[in-house]
Amino acid sequence: MRLTWLGHACFSLVGSRTVLIDPFIPEGSLPIEPDIVAVTHAHADHLGMTARLKKKTVAINEVAKYLASKGVPAEPMNIGGSITIDGVRFTMTPALHSSWLEDEGMGFYGGVAAGFVITIDGTSVYHAGDTALFSDMQIIRDLYRPDVALLPVGGRFTMGPDEAMVAARYVGAPLVVPMHYDTFPAIRQDVQNFKQAIERTTSMRVMVLSPGESIDISPESPLA
Ligand code: NI
Ligand code: MN
């Protein structure tokens, strides 16, 4: 499975299917054609171009209903539940964050914010969504054993590097990829410092990607 960071919280996972998570692309256009889209919550920097893509989309009930009203084939689900689509398994995990849908100048309740564990070709990726640190991340480790953890580190709207260091330990994935930083000035962070702090004190690896950069991950060797 090939994981690509497309900037901010947007990642593509390409294996037997192509999955796109939180398709907000700060600059430029979408370089891939997804089979399935997963949306963690309704904030514009996550919902992004979902309504325009019109692909099968996994989202929490409230967001799925909104997307269905825009003609998107949405699959509603909720925290703690799982759905398998074309062999790709999506488990919706909690996130400590808010959610708000905006459309044509109006605002709507967007359900609660979430994260996902997505398993494709035997590799499991935990995308934390926007979240604070919470100790039940240990349950995500115990239940789903993710191979990779995608963690927000930007601060202000999500946890920052200090909290994400604890989150990385709780999730226990051998590989951590930081996200949701440097997109705009309020979430600027020194991720190299985050990387060094984790790698100095744990056996985990932190891959700092540039937007558009990919890594290949297999369940046997996360850094193959
Ligand atoms: Ni948000
Ligand atoms: Mn966000």
Side-chain angles (χ1 to χ4, degrees):
M1 191 267 291
R2 169 161 279 213
L3 177 148
T4 304
W5 187 42
L6 296 168
H8 201 53
C10 182
F11 289 83
S12 67
L13 311 177
V14 181
S16 54
R17 290 290 184 276
T18 296
V19 175
L20 184 64
I21 311 164
D22 283 357
F24 167 79
I25 311 229
E27 286 156 38
S29 55
L30 193 59
I32 49 123
E33 177 91 341
D35 299 308
I36 310 164
V37 178
V39 177
T40 60
H41 64 295
H43 287 153
D45 60 319
H46 298 262
L47 193 61
M49 60 178 76
T50 306
R52 292 200 300 279
L53 287 172
K54 305 254 188 302
K55 298 293 182 183
K56 184 159 280 191
T57 300
V58 179
I60 203 153
N61 260 318
E62 290 81 355
V63 175
K65 282 206 174 76
Y66 164 79
L67 290 170
S69 79
K70 299 287 172 189
V72 176
E75 291 283 355
M77 62 185 304
N78 217 312
I79 306 281
S82 298
I83 182 174
T84 302
I85 300 172
D86 296 340
V88 184
R89 188 165 176 83
F90 298 83
T91 297
M92 189 171 265
T93 59
L96 265 182
H97 190 69
S98 64
S99 186
W100 186 247
L101 260 170
E102 285 175 86
D103 188 20
E104 294 169 17
M106 301 272 283
F108 307 90
Y109 173 65
V112 298
F116 284 103
V117 176
I118 301 173
T119 305
I120 176 165
D121 304 340
T123 298
S124 293
V125 177
Y126 171 50
H127 187 298
D130 280 0
T131 188
L133 172 67
F134 57 94
S135 57
D136 282 357
M137 285 176 176
Q138 295 166 104
I139 295 175
I140 294 168
R141 172 193 64 206
D142 292 346
L143 275 175
Y144 311 114
R145 302 261 162 215
D147 298 290
V148 189
L150 313 177
L151 301 178
V153 301
R156 183 151 176 171
F157 302 104
T158 67
M159 56 188 174
D162 292 347
E163 295 82 12
M165 279 186 63
V166 180
R169 290 197 185 90
Y170 282 174
V171 176
L175 178 61
V176 173
V177 178
M179 63 169 175
H180 211 278
Y181 66 92
D182 285 5
T183 321
F184 39 90
I187 58 171
R188 204 141 273 161
Q189 290 294 344
D190 182 348
V191 280
Q192 289 301 334
N193 194 42
F194 169 76
K195 173 183 166 73
Q196 284 161 17
I198 288 196
E199 292 185 345
R200 216 172 28 232
T201 53
T202 74
S203 59
M204 292 180 274
R205 288 280 315 275
V206 177
M207 295 285 285
V208 173
L209 300 179
S210 304
E213 198 178 347
S214 302
I215 40 177
D216 289 313
I217 302 154
S218 73
E220 299 77 33
S221 58
L223 295 173

